[in-house]
Amino acid sequence: MSKSISRRQLLQWSGLSSASLLLNSCGSNLWSKEVGQAIEPLNQATQALLLTQKPVPEYSLEQIEPDKLLINTFAQTPQIDPAKYRLQIEGEVNHPMQLSLNDLQTMPLTSMVIQHVCVEGWAAIVQWGGVRLQELLRLAQPKPNARYVYFKSADGYYESWDLVSATHPQTLMAYQKNGQSLSADNGAPLRLASPIKLGYKQSKWVTQIMLTNQLMPKTGYWEDRGYEWFGGL
Ligand SMILES: Nc1nc2c(c(=O)[nH]1)N[C@H]1C(S)=C(S)[C@@H](COP(=O)(O)O)O[C@H]1N2
Ligand SMILES: [Mo]
């Protein structure tokens, strides 16, 4: 079991990973594949993903629609003590880890204004603030065989995403909504937010992120009840 990681380790690992990004972009012709793989903390497949992802145009702050984001929860809002909360990242990664809210909040904050679309027939322009999932995966270092990302939530909800969508620059693990701390009903302390997926893909109250090399029989709470798996926007 991994202990909660220190800020120093966090910075160390992120430093290592960005160094490898630089190495890979300018040094890939200089080293043989084997040497490259041995010194490379983040695998080439994942790095290639990071480089190909185009951002979706965002809205302006004036366009936010605070009243239009409806609470949509299949069960009940779970009670989570923010001080005890830990996000676990595990599965097909070189560095399984547990992050506290403080760990997450010392990482770079990304803010975006996007449209949230629910298949039940409503949509809302929302500002989300949080950490890029891409950044968390950079720290955890997906193994070369990792292809899917599972999200487990405190209310029993579960989801799975393809790794490409999960590493999109606008896929956030959000802890803010419209400039304020996320409310419990909207998924506090931590939820997924992304302009490339439908509402049901955006898990609230995420406690566990698990990378896998294949899709497991249960792909998602609503998918297992007939919704389409990719859920793209
Ligand atoms: N854990 C969890 N996440 C969830 C849900 C849920 O019931 N439980 N509902 C999903 C659906 S269908 C939508 S549209 C959005 C709604 O987010 P909101 O309640 O913050 O508006 O959360 C998604 N994430
Ligand atoms: Mo939804």
Side-chain angles (χ1 to χ4, degrees), residues 13-28 36-53 94 134 137-139 141-144 146 163-164 167-169:
W13 285 340
S14 54
L16 268 179
S17 314
S18 38
S20 96
L21 267 174
L22 288 173
L23 255 184
N24 197 44
S25 55
C26 56
S28 49
Q37 271 165 3
I39 59 166
E40 185 178 81
L42 188 61
N43 74 70
Q44 289 193 357
T46 312
Q47 292 195 9
L49 289 182
L50 302 187
L51 296 172
T52 57
Q53 311 246 36
N94 290 325
Q134 180 188 103
L137 295 178
R138 224 193 275 269
L139 296 176
Q141 297 183 17
K143 292 183 179 172
L163 188 58
V164 182
T167 53
H168 188 278

Side-chain angles (χ1 to χ4, degrees), residues 139-159:
L139 296 176
Q141 297 183 17
K143 292 183 179 172
N145 64 346
R147 289 183 61 200
Y148 300 99
V149 186
Y150 274 77
F151 301 90
K152 270 198 193 166
S153 299
D155 62 340
Y157 201 77
Y158 54 97
E159 260 302 336

Side-chain angles (χ1 to χ4, degrees), residues 11-232:
L11 293 174
Q12 233 170 21
W13 285 340
S14 54
L16 268 179
S17 314
S18 38
S20 96
L21 267 174
L22 288 173
L23 255 184
N24 197 44
S25 55
C26 56
S28 49
N29 298 328
L30 300 177
W31 284 286
S32 73
K33 217 180 165 196
E34 300 84 82
V35 175
Q37 271 165 3
I39 59 166
E40 185 178 81
L42 188 61
N43 74 70
Q44 289 193 357
T46 312
Q47 292 195 9
L49 289 182
L50 302 187
L51 296 172
T52 57
Q53 311 246 36
K54 287 223 178 72
V56 175
E58 293 179 15
Y59 293 83
S60 68
L61 284 172
E62 298 73 53
Q63 290 174 291
I64 292 173
E65 299 168 313
D67 303 330
K68 287 207 181 174
L69 186 76
L70 308 180
I71 303 298
N72 201 352
T73 302
F74 86 96
Q76 273 178 2
T77 294
Q79 300 290 312
I80 300 175
D81 178 348
K84 292 195 184 131
Y85 173 82
R86 295 292 181 275
L87 173 69
Q88 289 194 295
I89 306 182
E90 56 199 23
E92 299 294 330
V93 294
N94 290 325
H95 288 294
M97 47 189 195
Q98 279 194 34
L99 300 169
S100 66
L101 269 184
N102 190 55
D103 290 334
L104 292 161
Q105 287 168 354
T106 54
M107 294 179 67
L109 170 67
T110 299
S111 171
M112 63 182 183
V113 182
I114 61 153
Q115 190 175 40
H116 178 100
V117 180
C118 177
V119 289
E120 288 174 22
W122 55 271
I125 297 171
V126 189
Q127 181 192 27
W128 301 109
V131 180
R132 289 191 165 116
L133 181 52
Q134 180 188 103
E135 202 55 39
L136 296 177
L137 295 178
R138 224 193 275 269
L139 296 176
Q141 297 183 17
K143 292 183 179 172
N145 64 346
R147 289 183 61 200
Y148 300 99
V149 186
Y150 274 77
F151 301 90
K152 270 198 193 166
S153 299
D155 62 340
Y157 201 77
Y158 54 97
E159 260 302 336
S160 58
W161 288 41
D162 59 286
L163 188 58
V164 182
S165 300
T167 53
H168 188 278
Q170 288 153 302
T171 295
L172 302 186
M173 296 311 300
Y175 53 84
Q176 293 178 352
K177 186 196 87 177
N178 297 340
Q180 298 186 320
S181 295
L182 205 54
S183 72
D185 286 342
N186 289 128
L190 198 68
R191 71 170 293 159
L192 268 166
S194 177
I196 61 168
K197 294 284 183 188
L198 285 162
Y200 64 86
K201 299 298 289 184
Q202 306 191 21
S203 299
K204 304 191 279 189
W205 311 295
V206 175
T207 56
Q208 196 184 341
I209 297 177
M210 188 172 72
L211 277 75
T212 66
N213 60 2
Q214 55 181 39
L215 268 184
M216 298 186 286
K218 294 176 86 182
T219 60
Y221 181 83
W222 285 115
E223 289 86 331
D224 292 340
R225 287 155 182 80
Y227 283 25
E228 194 252 325
W229 174 71
F230 193 76

